[in-house]
Amino acid sequence: MSSLTELLNDWLPRQRWFAAKGVDLHSITTASTGRLTERLDTPDGAVALDHLILQVQSPLGRQHYQLFVGWRDWLPDRLIHAAIGEAEGRIAYDALHDPAVATELLAGLAVGRRWGDLRLVPEPGADIDPTARGRVISGEQSNTSIIYGDFGILKVYRRLEPGVNPDVEIHRALSAAGSLHVARALAVMESDALAPDGDPTTEPTTLGFLSSFFANSADGWAMATASVRDLLAEGDLRADEVGGDFAAESFRLGVAVAEVHRDLAAAFGEVTLSGAAWSDIVTAMQVEAGRVAGHVPSIAEQLPQIVATFEAARTLDTPVVVQRVHGDLHLGQTLRTLTGWAIIDFEGEPAKSLPQRKERQLLAKDIAGMLRSFDYAAHHLLPTGATESQQTYRAAEWAARNRAAFLDGYRSADGALPLGAQAVITAFELDKAVYEVAYEHGNRPVWEPIPLHAVATLITAGGTK
């Protein structure tokens, strides 16, 4: 019979949140393990529950992952998809998918409970309903989230790094500032298990974060692409004449992002970069473009113009200011609520380390992410290799209209921070587009023309030929 470790060698690489796919796993060991309960009674049998922090060694280095393992004599049909396998005479499964376990977690967060190596800590004044039933969101890439009724959502971080997650830091700061554009921080799951040499004086590692839930909200990406679909279905109407015109919402979204940036600057402070530091950022963009050109022919063909466009941003007349930002902003990180726009998921780019995700960055980082997202929303519905000029024209019209509306909204916001020189925004958007070309080239080649068109447009806008 297999051991749990042997089962995990096969099971982990098949999980969407596991980052070490496609490489040989040298070893899987437990950095922390604890039995949370010997017996949790449920309507379809008793459960024993373990909490594990796994240490995975691979050619990518050392990574840590969090896993709640439930043990049952048999699995009901609703949990078969979460099965890990049979070990030690019982069936092991991913217990976050079990409503009984989700309820137990919430009850602990409501009262503040020490549970093995876990600390479940409510935020001061948080109103948590411990009886709400939880359901796991399907389709998430890097975490597992449980929605509790209409009041809260618990994000359980799968890949862990020592320290407080920026998602928690930023939500706490913006909640304290009274921001209307973020969820309220309600509780955290944390542990000292990854502290260096077990030193409990260092920052705890964030394991999970409970925040308020925006019930009856609409995803920004879904709204934007529905607007594009409406436009492309009309044969003779302009973007501003279609009933699903999105420009007013893009304007409001720009206001919301500007107000979040303003509050982040107040909470975490701003720093003016030296000329040398900014020059290093430009150089890093050029180096990355050269690296991509080494394996993506479409970027190699335009590399001189790409490098020249970055070079145009190197010398600026105005100071370059950095602050805490979202770090991975796009339409999919926004929700249209009953009262306005909300911004979600302040973890930053998941491929970067925790210290990197906490670094101050230019506002242009977030702005470029949103501008690229509008462009993708406009063009991804076109048929592969579409040559129908009316459709391509209308998609471009939608993108230009909504990008402009977003920037207008941003600049109109009360206390909006200056975005800096246009050359800086262009450089960040070009850097993002080059990354997108590389991604699509390796994963979705039929989509490569979308960011490649943006690259061509941006190098022209940057003043090169």
Side-chain angles (χ1 to χ4, degrees):
M1 183 176 295
S2 299
S3 68
L4 178 60
T5 299
E6 290 171 330
L7 293 174
L8 291 174
N9 269 287
D10 175 66
W11 182 81
L12 276 174
R14 293 187 279 111
Q15 307 314 301
R16 298 182 72 172
W17 40 262
F18 187 66
K21 291 183 175 68
V23 299
D24 292 331
L25 303 183
H26 300 331
S27 67
I28 298 177
T29 57
T30 52
S32 172
T33 181
R35 175 60 53 93
L36 299 182
T37 181
E38 288 287 348
R39 183 183 180 92
L40 177 63
D41 290 317
T42 77
D44 41 25
V47 179
L49 182 63
D50 292 338
H51 178 257
L52 282 68
I53 296 178
L54 304 173
Q55 180 173 291
V56 177
Q57 292 281 2
S58 77
L60 301 179
R62 183 175 62 183
Q63 299 173 347
H64 290 98
Y65 293 90
Q66 176 178 203
L67 187 60
F68 287 82
V69 178
W71 298 91
R72 287 177 177 264
D73 293 329
W74 62 278
L75 278 186
D77 289 345
R78 60 184 174 77
L79 291 175
I80 288 176
H81 71 285
I84 297 172
E86 187 174 350
E88 303 172 20
R90 305 188 76 184
I91 299 174
Y93 68 102
D94 185 355
L96 289 177
H97 293 268
D98 192 332
V101 173
T103 297
E104 196 74 7
L105 281 171
L106 183 63
L109 289 164
V111 299
R113 178 182 182 184
R114 183 70 184 246
W115 206 12
D117 283 336
L118 280 69
R119 290 192 300 273
L120 310 180
V121 186
E123 295 288 299
D127 182 15
I128 300 173
D129 176 8
T131 67
R133 185 172 176 84
R135 60 179 177 86
V136 170
I137 297 176
S138 62
E140 277 198 297
Q141 295 289 339
S142 55
N143 302 301
T144 298
S145 293
I146 305 170
I147 295 175
Y148 291 101
D150 286 339
F151 91 90
I153 179 170
L154 173 63
K155 183 187 294 184
V156 180
Y157 302 108
R158 292 294 198 165
R159 184 176 175 185
L160 304 177
E161 292 187 70
V164 178
N165 193 288
D167 208 17
V168 173
E169 284 186 332
I170 289 180
H171 272 94
R172 281 174 170 166
L174 293 179
S175 293
S179 174
L180 301 176
H181 305 298
V182 297
R184 298 187 311 280
L186 297 178
V188 295
M189 296 165 45
E190 59 186 24
S191 171
D192 296 322
L194 295 184
D197 300 320
D199 180 3
T201 63
T202 59
E203 281 189 328
T205 295
T206 305
L207 305 181
F209 177 46
L210 179 68
S211 63
S212 59
F213 177 63
F214 295 109
N216 302 313
S217 60
D219 173 81
W221 173 260
M223 290 180 64
T225 53
S227 170
V228 175
R229 193 176 293 110
D230 287 347
L231 175 63
L232 295 180
E234 295 289 347
D236 55 358
L237 295 180
R238 295 174 56 86
D240 59 348
E241 297 172 331
V242 175
D245 183 28
F246 194 64
E249 292 296 346
S250 297
F251 183 93
R252 296 185 188 101
L253 180 56
V255 173
V257 172
E259 291 177 349
V260 166
H261 280 166
R262 178 198 64 200
D263 291 342
L264 285 173
F268 295 99
E270 300 171 297
V271 172
T272 300
L273 291 183
S274 67
W278 168 242
S279 183
D280 288 344
I281 292 174
V282 174
T283 298
M285 291 179 177
Q286 294 174 326
V287 169
E288 177 60 15
R291 187 192 68 80
V292 170
H295 62 92
V296 181
S298 59
I299 292 298
E301 292 173 4
Q302 302 186 78
L303 185 60
Q305 297 97 320
I306 292 170
V307 169
T309 302
F310 288 136
E311 192 63 32
R314 190 182 298 275
T315 303
L316 300 174
D317 296 329
T318 56
V320 177
V321 177
V322 293
Q323 64 165 79
R324 291 293 290 271
V325 298
H326 184 284
D328 189 27
L329 190 60
H330 51 80
L331 285 164
Q333 307 281 38
T334 67
L335 294 174
R336 183 59 164 95
T337 73
L338 296 176
T339 57
W341 281 98
I343 314 298
I344 61 174
D345 293 339
F346 286 86
E347 291 182 71
E349 293 178 291
K352 293 188 175 180
S353 69
L354 195 67
Q356 288 175 320
R357 287 184 275 147
K358 292 186 177 187
E359 290 176 350
R360 292 180 172 90
Q361 301 184 64
L362 278 78
L363 298 177
K365 171 78 172 178
D366 281 355
I367 300 304
M370 284 301 305
L371 296 179
R372 293 298 312 125
S373 192
F374 282 118
D375 194 55
Y376 256 84
H379 291 94
H380 92 287
L381 291 174
L382 295 178
T384 303
T387 57
E388 209 284 306
S389 60
Q390 184 65 246
Q391 285 191 327
T392 54
Y393 172 83
R394 292 158 76 76
E397 179 192 26
W398 187 96
R401 176 172 171 77
N402 285 276
R403 286 160 56 97
F406 173 80
L407 291 172
D408 288 345
Y410 190 101
R411 294 182 172 114
S412 75
D414 183 30
L417 303 169
L419 288 176
Q422 179 59 48
V424 173
I425 298 174
T426 297
F428 272 87
E429 192 177 355
L430 179 58
D431 183 61
K432 180 75 169 177
V434 168
Y435 162 81
E436 291 167 350
V437 172
Y439 178 85
E440 304 298 7
H441 181 80
N443 295 277
R444 299 180 297 193
V446 296
W447 282 34
E448 186 176 339
I450 297 176
L452 191 58
H453 178 266
V455 169
T457 301
L458 288 162
I459 60 178
T460 300
T464 63
K465 300 297 181 183

